Amino acid sequence: MKALYIASTGMAAQERNVEIISNNIANMRTTGYKRQRAEFQDLLYHAYRRAGSTTSDQGTQAPVGIEIGSGVKTAATPRIMTQGSVTPTEKPLDVAVRGEGFFAVQLPDGRTGYTRDGSFERDSSGLLVNVDGYQIDPGITIPENANSLSISADGIVQAYIGTDSAPTQLGQLQLYRFVNKEGLEAVGDNNFVETAASGPAQAGVPNSEGMGSVLQGYLESANVNPVTEIADLIAAQRAYEMNARVISGADEMLQATSQLR
C-alpha cells in the first residue's frame, strides 16, 4: 500500500523540520546566529488519467485528471538574515554590525570566513583576532601601550599610544556583503564562506555605500524568536503524529485485507 511509503516521507520531513527548529533553539544565545527554516516540496505524481485526455469517440475531454502523489521532501533550509538585537557588553573590542555586512576572518585552511560575530580579542602580538585566534581582515595591530581604544561607526580604530596627547589611527575595519547572502555556506564557529550561489564578496567601508555601521561595546544577538520556534515545534510534532496515524491506519487496512484472504 502506497500510503505507508507516502506517510513515511511525511514523518522523515517533519523529523528534519524538528532538527532545524532544535538547532535554532540551541543557538538562541549564539552571537550573530541567523535562524533557519525548513522548506518542503511534493514528490512525483503517478497519473492514472491525465487532464485533457479523450474520454469518448466524440472527442470529449476529461476536465480533471487522476493524480496520486508520492509524498514530500525537504527542498531547502534557508537562513533568515534579518538583524538580531544589539546588546551592550561594555567590552571595548566587542563590535556589532547594525545593518548590512559581515566581518572577514582568515581561516586556517586559507579560505576567508565571513561572520556577524564581533567578539574580538588581541593575540600575543597585539593583532586583532576572533575568539579562535583567527586574524580579522584587514589586519589591525594594537600596540601593548595603547589605551582609550575607540572604534567609530565607520570602523576607524584609534587609540592613545603611551603618553601621546593625540590619538593614533591603527586601521579601519571593513565590511563585506553579497548579492545573495542566503547562499553563503555555514562552516561552523559562527563563520560562513562564499559559494557560487552567494556571489563574490563585495568589500566596503562601514556606514557608507549601503554598508551597515559598527557599534563598539555591543554584540549582535541571534535573531531567534523563542515563541515562534516553540509554535513551529508544536506544529511539526502534530504533523509527525498525523503521518504516524496514517501509517497505523494503512497497516490496519492491510491486516483486514489479509484476514479476508
Side-chain angles (χ1 to χ4, degrees):
M1 181 174 288
K2 290 185 178 180
L4 289 170
Y5 302 101
I6 294 172
S8 69
T9 65
M11 293 181 69
Q14 293 309 317
E15 181 180 352
R16 185 75 63 192
N17 193 15
V18 171
E19 290 173 356
I20 297 299
I21 295 169
S22 64
N23 188 58
N24 289 338
I25 295 174
N27 284 282
M28 285 177 54
R29 300 290 295 172
T30 301
T31 302
Y33 175 79
K34 301 303 178 184
R35 68 185 180 91
Q36 292 177 280
R37 74 179 182 202
E39 295 182 351
F40 304 104
Q41 290 180 343
D42 51 354
L43 293 175
L44 294 175
Y45 287 79
H46 180 78
Y48 291 91
R49 185 176 72 173
R50 297 187 180 278
S53 59
T54 303
T55 58
S56 72
D57 294 338
Q58 284 70 37
T60 55
Q61 294 180 334
V64 294
I66 301 174
E67 296 179 334
I68 303 298
S70 54
V72 63
K73 67 176 181 179
T74 305
T77 57
R79 289 188 180 272
I80 311 301
M81 292 290 192
T82 55
Q83 175 80 48
S85 60
V86 177
T87 56
T89 64
E90 300 181 0
K91 188 170 179 290
L93 288 180
D94 283 345
V95 186
V97 179
R98 183 169 59 185
E100 189 73 21
F102 295 81
F103 297 112
V105 178
Q106 294 301 316
L107 301 178
D109 60 5
R111 293 183 297 174
T112 300
Y114 300 93
T115 181
R116 297 279 293 190
D117 183 0
S119 50
F120 300 147
E121 302 287 348
R122 280 194 297 179
D123 67 7
S124 58
S125 60
L127 194 65
L128 192 65
V129 297
N130 69 0
V131 294
D132 292 314
Y134 305 156
Q135 177 184 326
I136 305 303
D137 187 23
I140 298 175
T141 300
I142 303 172
E144 183 179 355
N145 58 344
N147 55 78
S148 300
L149 180 76
S150 67
I151 303 174
S152 65
D154 53 0
I156 295 176
V157 182
Q158 292 181 320
Y160 288 90
I161 308 301
T163 58
D164 290 351
S165 59
T168 300
Q169 181 172 330
L170 305 177
Q172 185 172 25
L173 295 171
Q174 282 190 325
L175 294 179
Y176 299 81
R177 62 183 176 186
F178 300 85
V179 174
N180 175 29
K181 56 189 175 182
E182 287 80 6
L184 292 169
E185 177 187 352
V187 294
D189 300 329
N190 291 356
N191 294 316
F192 299 92
V193 294
E194 70 177 53
T195 66
S198 69
Q202 303 172 10
V205 175
N207 211 26
S208 67
E209 299 179 351
M211 289 292 188
S213 59
V214 296
L215 297 173
Q216 182 184 16
Y218 289 81
L219 287 177
E220 181 186 5
S221 302
N223 64 350
V224 176
N225 185 327
V227 176
T228 301
E229 297 299 327
I230 294 300
D232 289 344
L233 178 61
I234 293 172
Q237 288 175 319
R238 296 295 179 265
Y240 187 92
E241 291 171 1
M242 292 178 67
N243 279 283
R245 289 179 181 177
V246 170
I247 290 179
S248 178
D251 181 55
E252 291 177 1
M253 293 171 66
L254 286 174
Q255 289 180 358
T257 303
S258 64
Q259 289 174 1
L260 290 176
R261 293 175 183 174

